[in-house]
Amino acid sequence: MAEPKRQLVLPITGMTCANCVATVERNLLKLDGIEQAAVNLASERAIVSYDPQTVDATTMVARVRKTGYDVAIGQADLLIQRLGDDNDVRRLEKALRAIEGVVEVSVNLASERARVRYIPTMITQAEIRHAVQGAGFEVPLEAGAMEDVEQQSRDREIARQRHLLFVGLALTLPLFVLSMLRDFGLVPEAIAISPAYDWAMFVLATPVQFYVGWQYYLGAYKALRSGTANMDVLIAMGSSAAYFYSLPALFGWIGGHLYFETAAVIITLIVLGKLLEARAKGRTSGAIKKLFSLQARTARVIRDGEERDISVDDVRIGDLVLVRPGEKIPVDGVVIEGRSSVDESMLTGESMPVEKGPGAEVIGATLNKLGMIQFEATKVGKETALAQIVQLVEEAQASKAPIQRLADRVSAFFVPAVIAMAVLTFLGWLLLGPQAGAEASPFTRALINMVAVLVIACPCAMGLATPTAVMVGMGKGAERGILFKSSQALERAGDVTTIVLDKTGTITRGQPSLTDIHLVSWGQGEDELLRLAASAEKVSEHPLGEAIVAAAGERDFELLDPERFEAVAGQGIVAQVAGREIVIGTTKLLEGRGFDLDGTVEKKDQLQSQAKTVVLVGVGGRAAAVLGIADTLKDGASEAVHALQQLGLEVAMITGDNRATAEAIAKSVGIPFGDQHGNPNVLAEVLPGEKSAQVSALQRRGRVVAMVGDGINDAPALAQADVGIAIGTGTDVAIAAAPITILGGDLRSVPKAIVLSQGTLRTIRQNLFWAFIYNILLIPAAALGQLNPMLAAGAMAFSSIFVVTNSLRLRGLKLDRVSQ
């Protein structure tokens, strides 16, 4: 049987522009067994779908490196106990090499240490330690074992660029001053025309060109070797043209101005831009890092009757975990003992603590507020809710939004087109430019304008325009309990015109609640009647009976045990409580038992007009009370509908309930029964299999439809809709079918998701407009001789920084606002 396809994430380093992305994708796809490769410039990750029987991770890493880029590799230095001889060494090395994601293994018997190099997005150090333990050896947990390899790699790159910038500034500033002093006649002529002055400029410029700028030569070489051209090619060509033109003039072979300062300033400004860009890009993933940092580092478990503090990585499924007030819950589990309230706002965005007691589920990384609880661990490591959320968001961030396709298409021919433009600029100024009376010779003028064209072009801004905004937008959503599973979902949600809300479990709580108690002949007070009715229903399993018992529980009533209980199918129950006969159910049931129903008809009609289920309570031969039971609205349902309408969206409701109930619920939350064209907005009595057909009918009217639901019967409609939004308290099937998930089940997060999508889409369009208009206006300006190459380098560096910082503005987007 064929092994199913797998997916892995490779952390790529060394990419600078959209051409780099295309190069990595193209070269990965050349490998047999690679079905799909999507590379994201902002997150610097490649998501690869592959056949594990044909290709492995080590082969992919080698291919990326051959292309001229690198993969961030983690290194674990582990102290190994119980290593006996060379056979143990070979056995351990074999066991570690068999783990997918491990690139290199070296075990030393003398020092009792193992050095393991691994891909951090595929495997963690905790999993490596567990594998060593599984092979029969012991691995003490050493300080510093918890690490973020990708962040360390990026920190090293930032530190390297900072060092290069300092070197560049230390040499370029005096070089620039020397050039300006001579150009403006601020030094004695004897000094200005001396060979020593020129050689001093050469000495300052050369380290900048070949030490600070070596990364661009190397990148250009690797790009050209792979049959492509990227930003490095443009920088290397532009700075080299200025530098190498100056050498013959330095040696006295030709006359003319030296342009050493131009070459040095170009390189130094671009290094400055890249440093600022790298630091800003690091902040685009800040929300995910913040989520990941929420995880507890240690857990207190009970093993062999003793409490032990262990690393959270060492918690096993089935462990009993103890959490005291004020501590983080380390892993997912089910409460066994104790009661508390838990702050889940860091995952769901809901500020109110959630009460937890025996049988309740708890989520790792949430905060235990009040009581001490003991729970059984059910999910650990990569299976916890937090780990799953982080993985989902990271994969979504790495996906490509449809709006990015334009930038990808342009970037494919952008650099070659710029090179061609630069050559034409050179030839045009050389052959057609002013031949006499100009300050510089035609050749010099042509060269300078060509350099300006090469340096001003910025493919980076186009490559970063979409992914940086997507990363920030998705990260902000994750912080508020809104999970987008793909960039396409994030983009598409901004175009929605109609929101279809499922009723049960979405607008309403999905469980009946006692809403009304109207006393008829009972004179001992509402509380006593409810206590007797709940005592009679205490052993009932009917949802209506459970609603009565739940209402008594909210008032902390002490219930009695019924002496006799009988369930009458389809009608109600008959019980005896404290010597009294209690009959609870339909009119037919009480009439059949000879109960006096005087005073019930008016109350019954009133409740039924509100789409509530009517239950009569009879005590001692007379109808004592009329109860109203309904599926109550969720907190914030009305506010959510109002907010969606204020955003200009048409709101509809779909349900399998009868029309009277549906219209009553729609009226209570403010959903009109029809739209301005007379089409119904309240879709009632819709069978589960027909919900997707109703969504399809709305789409045929030209609407872009978002479906919001939580149940299994909503899954087909969620899949049919242009955007499916699952309420996180619902079933796994519904959540799996939906591109957007709302954690916590608060319907008010739906308009927030729309606002976030619209804001992200607006930012992407701003970024793309800037990236394109910048190149469209400034490349011709450079070709016409209106830009100095040094100014061009500064503008080019600023272009990328503008795109990234504009995306970072999304972090301040107010999701609670409602557009007018």
Side-chain angles (χ1 to χ4, degrees):
M1 183 176 177
E3 192 172 347
K5 299 294 182 289
R6 293 186 190 173
Q7 187 177 84
L8 68 80
V9 179
L10 292 175
I12 310 294
T13 61
M15 296 188 298
T16 58
C17 65
N19 277 62
C20 303
V21 169
T23 301
V24 175
E25 287 180 349
R26 186 172 63 252
N27 279 273
L28 282 172
L29 289 169
K30 287 179 181 177
L31 290 174
D32 292 336
I34 302 290
E35 292 198 345
Q36 189 175 359
V39 180
N40 186 291
L41 178 60
S43 64
E44 296 180 289
R45 287 187 167 196
I47 294 184
V48 185
S49 298
Y50 68 103
D51 181 355
Q53 293 182 329
T54 307
V55 66
D56 59 17
T58 304
T59 306
M60 293 182 224
V61 171
R63 186 70 183 193
V64 170
R65 286 175 172 166
K66 183 180 178 183
T67 305
Y69 305 93
D70 206 350
V71 175
I73 299 295
Q75 182 170 297
D77 290 307
L78 307 175
L79 177 63
I80 310 294
Q81 296 179 347
R82 298 178 60 186
L83 271 177
D85 53 26
D86 285 339
N87 288 327
D88 284 347
V89 170
R90 285 191 290 272
R91 181 162 61 88
L92 179 57
E93 286 182 342
K94 182 179 180 181
L96 290 173
R97 287 195 181 103
I99 304 171
E100 190 172 22
V102 170
V103 177
E104 183 182 324
V105 179
S106 175
V107 180
N108 188 297
L109 179 61
S111 62
E112 293 187 313
R113 299 195 75 89
R115 174 167 292 178
V116 183
R117 304 191 75 221
Y118 62 97
I119 302 172
T121 50
M122 296 184 66
I123 190 171
T124 65
Q125 288 199 16
E127 290 169 319
I128 294 172
R129 290 199 304 274
H130 290 156
V132 173
Q133 292 166 349
F137 305 97
E138 295 296 327
V139 191
L141 182 62
E142 299 174 278
M146 302 282 288
E147 60 180 15
D148 184 344
V149 175
E150 286 185 85
Q151 186 57 43
Q152 288 181 356
S153 175
R154 293 188 178 110
D155 287 344
R156 285 195 298 269
E157 177 60 20
I158 289 174
R160 186 175 76 91
Q161 293 295 342
R162 187 184 297 115
H163 166 72
L164 292 174
L165 175 62
F166 288 156
V167 173
L169 287 172
L171 297 170
T172 301
L173 285 177
L175 173 60
F176 183 75
V177 169
L178 287 176
S179 177
M180 292 301 102
L181 288 175
R182 181 161 67 180
D183 287 348
F184 289 105
L186 299 177
V187 292
E189 185 176 353
I191 296 176
I193 63 173
S194 68
Y197 203 95
D198 292 342
W199 281 98
M201 296 176 68
F202 167 77
V203 169
L204 291 171
T206 301
V208 177
Q209 189 70 29
F210 297 109
Y211 176 69
V212 179
W214 182 249
Q215 58 185 325
Y216 303 117
Y217 284 107
L218 191 60
Y221 164 72
K222 290 177 178 178
L224 293 172
R225 187 182 64 183
S226 299
T228 186
N230 62 4
M231 184 202 74
D232 293 335
V233 173
L234 298 179
I235 297 170
M237 287 180 66
S239 63
S240 296
Y243 179 85
F244 287 108
Y245 168 80
S246 301
L247 289 180
L250 173 69
F251 298 143
W253 299 341
I254 63 172
H257 194 279
L258 299 183
Y259 289 97
F260 286 128
E261 84 285 355
T262 300
V265 169
I266 287 171
I267 289 175
T268 302
L269 281 176
I270 289 172
V271 170
L272 172 63
K274 286 298 161 188
L275 173 62
L276 295 175
E277 178 189 318
R279 293 175 62 178
K281 277 167 62 179
R283 295 200 295 273
T284 63
S285 58
I288 294 304
K289 291 173 186 173
K290 181 180 175 183
L291 272 179
F292 201 73
S293 69
L294 294 173
Q295 184 180 25
R297 297 299 184 189
T298 61
R300 184 176 296 109
V301 300
I302 301 174
R303 291 182 182 171
D304 302 325
E306 295 181 358
E307 291 184 17
R308 302 181 186 177
D309 286 340
I310 63 173
S311 166
V312 70
D313 294 327
D314 294 327
V315 178
R316 299 191 294 259
I317 292 175
D319 272 340
L320 292 181
V321 184
L322 195 65
V323 185
R324 294 191 171 96
E327 294 180 341
K328 286 183 179 179
I329 294 171
V331 296
D332 297 0
V334 176
V335 176
I336 303 296
E337 185 179 316
R339 290 185 177 276
S340 183
S341 60
V342 176
D343 181 2
E344 298 181 346
S345 60
M346 62 283 297
L347 294 182
T348 65
E350 294 186 11
S351 57
M352 292 298 293
V354 181
E355 297 299 319
K356 302 289 183 181
E361 294 184 352
V362 290
I363 304 172
T366 55
L367 183 65
N368 184 31
K369 300 284 283 186
L370 297 176
M372 184 168 71
I373 57 173
Q374 181 178 311
F375 70 91
E376 179 184 349
T378 56
K379 292 181 180 179
V380 299
K382 292 182 177 178
E383 301 304 315
T384 63
L386 175 65
Q388 293 289 311
I389 289 170
V390 170
Q391 180 183 354
L392 185 151
V393 176
E394 285 182 337
E395 290 181 358
Q397 287 177 333
S399 64
K400 289 192 177 184
I403 198 171
Q404 191 176 343
R405 291 172 188 155
L406 174 61
D408 287 346
R409 284 197 298 269
V410 172
S411 66
F413 60 82
F414 180 79
V415 175
V418 169
I419 294 172
M421 182 78 168
V423 172
L424 290 174
T425 298
F426 177 79
L427 294 175
W429 279 93
L430 181 64
L431 301 176
L432 305 176
Q435 300 297 312
E439 294 181 3
S441 69
F443 180 86
T444 302
R445 188 66 181 165
L447 182 76
I448 293 304
N449 291 338
M450 180 187 77
V451 170
V453 170
L454 290 170
V455 174
I456 194 67
C458 187
C460 307
M462 287 188 290
L464 291 168
T466 300
T468 52
V470 166
M471 284 189 69
V472 177
M474 286 187 173
K476 186 174 181 66
E479 287 182 319
R480 303 294 290 268
I482 304 166
L483 301 184
F484 295 90
K485 296 185 181 177
S486 69
S487 299
Q488 183 174 1
L490 180 64
E491 178 182 332
R492 193 62 169 151
D495 296 326
V496 164
T497 60
T498 301
I499 299 276
V500 179
L501 304 174
D502 181 56
K503 180 185 80 69
T504 306
T506 302
I507 296 177
T508 64
R509 296 183 183 278
Q511 57 187 30
S513 299
L514 180 64
T515 59
D516 300 87
I517 302 176
H518 295 292
L519 301 180
V520 179
S521 64
W522 182 258
Q524 298 180 37
E526 182 180 297
D527 286 353
E528 180 61 18
L529 178 98
L530 179 58
R531 189 175 75 88
L532 286 176
S535 297
E537 293 278 13
K538 186 176 179 181
V539 294
S540 172
E541 296 181 354
H542 194 282
L544 298 181
E546 290 175 347
I548 295 171
V549 174
E554 290 174 0
R555 302 190 189 188
D556 295 324
F557 291 163
E558 187 175 338
L559 302 185
L560 304 173
D561 292 324
E563 294 111 37
R564 180 171 60 85
F565 177 86
E566 176 190 356
V568 182
Q571 296 187 47
I573 62 110
V574 178
Q576 185 168 326
V577 178
R580 296 177 174 179
E581 183 184 44
I582 311 281
V583 179
I584 304 175
T586 62
T587 301
K588 182 179 179 182
L589 177 63
L590 270 68
E591 282 180 338
R593 296 212 165 237
F595 276 68
D596 181 0
L597 302 183
D598 284 351
T600 63
V601 175
E602 183 180 349
K603 298 296 184 184
K604 177 182 172 183
D605 291 344
Q606 178 185 341
L607 292 172
Q608 286 180 334
S609 69
Q610 298 170 7
K612 295 179 180 179
T613 301
V614 175
V615 175
L616 303 183
V617 179
V619 182
R622 299 187 65 186
V626 180
L627 307 183
I629 297 176
D631 185 3
T632 56
L633 296 177
K634 278 187 175 181
D635 292 337
S638 298
E639 294 97 313
V641 170
H642 176 69
L644 290 168
Q645 290 169 338
Q646 288 294 94
L647 288 170
L649 304 177
E650 194 79 43
V651 182
M653 187 185 77
I654 191 167
T655 179
D657 278 352
N658 63 70
R659 178 155 294 279
T661 300
E663 290 184 349
I665 294 294
K667 184 178 180 181
S668 64
V669 295
I671 297 176
F673 296 164
D675 63 15
Q676 57 184 346
H677 302 295
N679 299 308
N681 275 347
V682 179
L683 308 171
E685 300 175 10
V686 179
L687 296 176
E690 296 175 351
K691 288 185 177 181
S692 60
Q694 292 289 346
V695 171
S696 180
L698 290 170
Q699 290 170 323
R700 285 196 296 273
R701 290 185 213 151
R703 299 184 182 183
V704 180
V705 179
M707 170 73 192
V708 185
D710 81 321
I712 291 176
N713 59 23
D714 298 327
L718 290 170
Q720 172 64 41
D722 297 285
V723 179
I725 304 176
I727 298 296
T729 53
T731 64
D732 290 340
V733 176
I735 292 171
I740 302 174
T741 298
I742 305 296
L743 299 178
D746 190 342
L747 195 59
R748 286 170 290 197
S749 291
V750 174
K752 292 176 185 177
I754 301 298
V755 170
L756 179 57
S757 175
Q758 291 174 344
T760 304
L761 201 54
R762 185 167 56 250
T763 300
I764 290 172
R765 286 170 177 153
Q766 290 169 354
N767 288 347
L768 288 173
F769 174 80
W770 167 261
F772 282 108
I773 204 70
Y774 164 89
N775 285 293
I776 289 169
L777 294 180
L778 293 188
I779 290 177
L784 293 172
Q786 301 303 308
L787 275 180
N788 179 284
M790 290 184 286
L791 294 177
M796 184 268 199
F798 172 76
S799 179
S800 297
I801 297 168
F802 172 86
V803 165
V804 178
T805 52
N806 189 50
S807 295
L808 288 171
R809 288 174 55 248
L810 272 171
R811 296 189 301 181
L813 180 67
K814 296 187 183 301
L815 300 186
D816 296 318
R817 70 170 179 82
V818 177
S819 61
Q820 299 300 318

